[in-house]
Amino acid sequence: MRRYEKTRNGIEYTDEIVSSDGAGFVLYPTAEHTPEMVKAAIRELFNDRDVVAMKVADARDWDERYRSEIFAHPWTSPLRWFEINADDYELLRREREKGTPTEEYIKIFVLPFIAETKAANIQKYGNEILER
């Protein structure tokens, strides 16, 4: 699974190269992080790194992070993307906000529905997905 770097005050973040000028950053503060801590983390990154874009994670970013953890989990590694039930963002958000661990999500919503998810994606995208 992806490891997140942390600022000196403990706020996790991701970065991705945006251009030759630098990277885009997404900060993932939690309830324990105050607005002052977030501002300090932003200052730190601007001072220490080549920042082209900066964002504090919103609900969709947290959903995408949760979804990425599902796809990166060892239990889903033998599966193809179209066999993993992780496209229902309402379900993802509900389970993430409830605090459902990734493994629990996979046990409840992915592994029992591999065939159904595959069939739904074949119907949606066609048999070509099987050839990629």
Side-chain angles (χ1 to χ4, degrees):
M1 286 197 223
R2 183 174 186 161
R3 292 203 177 264
Y4 293 86
E5 293 184 63
K6 290 184 180 182
T7 60
R8 287 187 283 280
N9 63 6
I11 299 177
E12 292 183 328
Y13 68 90
T14 58
D15 62 336
E16 188 172 311
I17 298 297
V18 173
S19 70
S20 59
D21 294 324
F25 292 79
V26 179
L27 284 173
Y28 291 93
T30 60
E32 68 189 35
H33 300 114
T34 66
E36 292 77 24
M37 293 172 79
V38 174
K39 288 177 188 173
I42 291 170
R43 273 193 309 277
E44 173 188 330
L45 292 172
F46 270 100
N47 289 336
D48 295 353
R49 307 285 297 270
D50 292 328
V51 177
V52 173
M54 176 68 68
K55 180 180 181 184
V56 176
D58 59 18
R60 181 63 179 223
D61 295 312
W62 282 101
D63 293 344
E64 285 296 337
R65 178 176 169 160
Y66 189 69
R67 184 174 187 261
S68 296
E69 291 169 2
I70 293 165
F71 276 95
H73 195 280
W75 292 353
T76 61
S77 63
L79 303 176
R80 306 269 311 270
W81 68 267
F82 53 80
E83 297 173 311
I84 300 171
N85 180 19
D87 289 334
D88 182 343
Y89 281 91
E90 286 181 36
L91 174 63
L92 287 169
R93 180 161 302 161
R94 185 181 72 233
E95 296 304 313
R96 177 184 62 75
E97 288 179 345
K98 280 183 4 187
T100 304
T102 306
E103 288 184 355
E104 198 65 25
Y105 182 95
I106 293 167
K107 279 193 255 182
I108 296 169
F109 299 107
V110 175
L111 298 178
F113 299 102
I114 294 170
E116 291 91 335
T117 303
K118 179 179 178 180
N121 280 316
I122 289 172
Q123 184 175 7
K124 185 174 181 178
Y125 299 109
N127 284 322
E128 298 82 38
I129 63 174
L130 302 172
E131 299 165 7
R132 293 181 195 172

